[in-house]
Amino acid sequence: MPLVPWRWYAGAGGGGAVAPAQMLSTDGSWSGAQLTHRGDWTEDGYEDLVARHADGTVWLYSNDGLGQVSAVTRKSVSVFEDPEAGVPTDISKARQIVSLGDLSPGTDGSTPDFMAVIGDQLWFLPGYTGGTLESGYPIGDSGWANKTLVAPGDMDGDGLTDLLARDTSNGQVWLYRAKALDMDLESEPGTDPASLGDAANRVQFATGWTVAARPLITAPGDVNGDGVPDLWSTTASATAGLEFLPGRGRGVGAAVVVGTGGWQAVRAIA
């Protein structure tokens, strides 16, 4: 199987990035892989990468602190089998999986948690130690099969983790505003996972973001230093292939072109 190159771009401020550093996979092709990252699973102080490959396998790639990962040290992500929880969730059936960071700080260390689209449902998959997941549960009953998930963090400044979902059938993007988890008052505020799958909590974030117009969307965090998470998006334009979309709470500001040609060949960004 041919090797598929993938690249990381160091931020240059203002939504831009410096010239890429290229890395080649050493475990076959990355074609069709989905990438996500938000949290340190290996407790070494560095944010790690999680990839769902086209064959349905999910792998944890530990970050070495230099922005590089290796198939040599990767670990298969599995679901912790709790006899009292019944049959564990089969994550190989997840069409999409995104890391949200730790939704309940102060209760389970700093283990990142995940959302996944399985069938037509949205599932919450709590993170467990050692690169494993607890068996999850659905928080969105239907209508998720045609949605693309984006994990921006706290978009509205209330200290809770929000979720973005793009409806691929019409290009509408919805912001699912989080509600607080009922926790001990001495703990840090936590996010109620169920609130991220509840249509009653969503507000319209953007329109016209069809797959043709904006093939790929990612939210890397606060890029321009204004305290609000930002987004990047690839486009169909050969001369404006990557755009920076500054976060504005419940929406985005004017797009800024930060990448020109070649972005149409990119199949995943995170």
Side-chain angles (χ1 to χ4, degrees):
M1 186 177 294
L3 298 181
V4 176
W6 63 284
R7 301 172 172 87
W8 66 272
Y9 293 76
V18 300
Q22 178 171 303
M23 293 179 287
L24 294 176
S25 68
T26 57
D27 59 326
S29 177
W30 283 75
S31 178
Q34 298 176 358
L35 310 177
T36 185
H37 64 91
R38 192 173 294 274
D40 173 19
W41 246 3
T42 54
E43 300 181 348
D44 59 2
Y46 301 116
E47 189 168 82
D48 303 310
L49 177 73
V50 173
R52 180 202 180 277
H53 287 269
D55 61 1
T57 58
V58 182
W59 296 88
L60 167 64
Y61 292 84
S62 177
N63 181 2
D64 65 359
L66 300 175
Q68 300 186 60
V69 297
S70 171
V72 175
T73 57
R74 75 176 186 172
K75 178 178 180 179
S76 176
V77 175
S78 59
V79 176
F80 174 70
E81 297 187 22
D82 182 354
E84 297 182 359
V87 178
T89 304
D90 184 357
I91 58 173
S92 69
K93 295 182 179 180
R95 181 182 61 80
Q96 184 183 180
I97 183 170
V98 296
S99 176
L100 298 172
D102 184 17
L103 295 193
S104 54
T107 63
D108 59 356
S110 57
T111 307
D113 301 312
F114 292 80
M115 293 290 181
V117 175
I118 301 177
D120 198 34
Q121 295 180 316
L122 179 68
W123 281 64
F124 173 60
L125 303 173
Y128 194 69
T129 60
T132 56
L133 300 169
E134 294 184 24
S135 194
Y137 52 89
I139 60 172
D141 291 334
S142 62
W144 291 89
N146 62 342
K147 288 185 173 64
T148 301
L149 308 181
V150 180
D154 178 14
M155 288 297 299
D156 52 13
D158 62 359
L160 304 175
T161 301
D162 303 309
L163 180 70
L164 289 172
R166 188 249 302 262
D167 190 328
T168 57
S169 66
N170 55 25
Q172 292 183 336
V173 182
W174 298 94
L175 171 64
Y176 286 77
R177 301 184 62 214
K179 289 190 175 181
L181 187 66
D182 186 13
M183 297 171 59
D184 189 311
L185 293 178
E186 295 181 359
S187 302
E188 297 179 49
T191 296
D192 181 3
S195 66
L196 299 179
D198 189 347
N201 298 330
R202 74 179 190 177
V203 294
Q204 194 168 74
F205 186 82
T207 59
W209 287 22
T210 63
V211 176
R214 298 190 178 279
L216 303 173
I217 307 168
T218 188
D222 178 19
V223 176
N224 58 8
D226 64 357
V228 182
D230 306 304
L231 288 82
W232 279 322
S233 166
T234 61
T235 76
S237 172
T239 57
L242 181 68
E243 290 187 339
F244 170 64
L245 303 160
R248 295 289 183 267
R250 297 190 185 185
V252 293
V256 179
V257 176
V258 294
T260 53
W263 286 92
Q264 287 70 35
V266 175
R267 292 293 176 262
I269 57 176

